Amino acid sequence: MWAFHRLSTLKDFLNRQRAEGRSIGFVPTMGALHEGHLSLIRRSKDAQEVAICSIFVNPTQFNDPTDLLKYPRTEAEDLYLLHQTGCAAAFLPSEPEVYPAGQGVGPDFRFGVLDKTMEGEFRPGHFKGVAQVVHRLLQMVEPDSIYMGQKDFQQVAIVREMIKQANLPVRLVMCPTAREENGLAMSSRNVRLSGAQRSRAALIYEMLQDVRARAHGDNLPALEVEALQRLRGEPGFRPEYFSVVDGKTLQPVRSLADSDYVVVCVACWVGDVRLIDNLIIKE
Ligand code: AMP
């Protein structure tokens, strides 16, 4: 596997691949890789693409400076995992490489209601930073496809909209959430949970499944309230939202009959670790 820190050498590599008729699959990450990230690499390889994975902890998407400081960094291990998974190249740009001095941070995208709810409400500015960095990375890598995880459902919606607005010629593929054995969505932040927290955090996925099992007619708001109460009652848990929304507009859905694409999304602090998860309950 190749590892590039500079855009110029990555470009040489990509140009050689394209000249030989290969298409490029791209997986942007912030490192601290786990099975969820690796499943995206495999998906790209299944599509017969040259898989490229970027590792860049993007400062502009952290609304909380402590979160940025505490973000796990495990570069050597990440490179080993990528190599083992058959990733063709890792791209590890420096901050000035991504945001060259004097060039600004890219277009100022407007997302309407998409970035006002859920994560947008609790992490102001977060999606602006996400759209900026993904736009910039797509300009750098110019892949045929970009692979992103359903775990960050709202992020996928934002990137889909950004690609549309910027008219970028790239296919966006949303891949299923990889989970721990107990159902907890895999996340780079999970390493900051204690063993006990990690096993109790399975309650978040249980609540999502509970809503899927019990949703009927217009009982969705009642199920939301019940789930929030259940999470609040768990020592050390602090849910921020538990929302049943339309999968395209991300607006609240009161009844299953109101939409043909319905997703339940949740964000919950467990100790000082903020976890998110979601489940599609109608598609
Ligand atoms: P991150 O490094 O957390 O920014 O994530 C990089 C990419 O991996 C994003 O597209 C995430 O949605 C995806 N990802 C993170 N966790 C998972 C997971 N448990 N299952 C599938 N994809 C994931």
Side-chain angles (χ1 to χ4, degrees), residues 90 115 191 243:
D115 68 348
V191 294
S243 308

Side-chain angles (χ1 to χ4, degrees), residues 27-40 54 56 61 71 147-153 155-156 175-180 184-189:
V27 178
T29 79
M30 297 203 297
L33 301 182
H34 51 66
E35 184 52 37
H37 299 112
L38 302 181
S39 70
L40 307 185
S54 66
F56 177 63
Q61 72 188 67
Y71 204 83
Y147 294 84
M148 304 193 82
Q150 184 195 319
K151 211 270 266 160
D152 299 276
F153 189 87
Q155 171 170 279
V156 177
C175 302
T177 303
R179 298 184 178 280
E180 315 250 352
L184 173 65
M186 287 186 177
S187 162
S188 304
R189 292 183 169 88

Side-chain angles (χ1 to χ4, degrees), residues 95-203:
E95 204 176 319
E97 193 83 48
V98 177
Y99 301 118
Q103 284 192 24
V105 284
D108 187 15
F109 295 102
R110 301 289 156 101
F111 295 107
V113 288
L114 282 186
D115 68 348
K116 305 290 180 296
T117 59
M118 302 191 291
E119 290 302 284
E121 185 183 340
F122 287 93
R123 301 185 69 188
H126 168 63
F127 286 127
K128 209 176 170 62
V130 167
Q132 276 165 359
V133 76
V134 178
H135 179 261
R136 178 74 186 122
L137 289 168
L138 285 175
Q139 277 184 328
M140 292 164 119
V141 180
E142 298 179 280
D144 298 277
S145 319
I146 177 172
Y147 294 84
M148 304 193 82
Q150 184 195 319
K151 211 270 266 160
D152 299 276
F153 189 87
Q154 192 171 7
Q155 171 170 279
V156 177
I158 293 286
V159 170
R160 188 180 294 121
E161 179 61 23
M162 179 277 285
I163 288 173
K164 195 169 126 197
Q165 287 182 23
N167 203 13
L168 298 176
V170 62
R171 182 175 71 114
L172 170 61
V173 182
M174 183 171 82
C175 302
T177 303
R179 298 184 178 280
E180 315 250 352
E181 250 173 51
N182 68 0
L184 173 65
M186 287 186 177
S187 162
S188 304
R189 292 183 169 88
N190 289 358
V191 294
R192 291 177 42 220
L193 297 168
S194 69
Q197 285 173 325
R198 208 161 169 141
S199 61
R200 284 172 47 234
L203 178 65

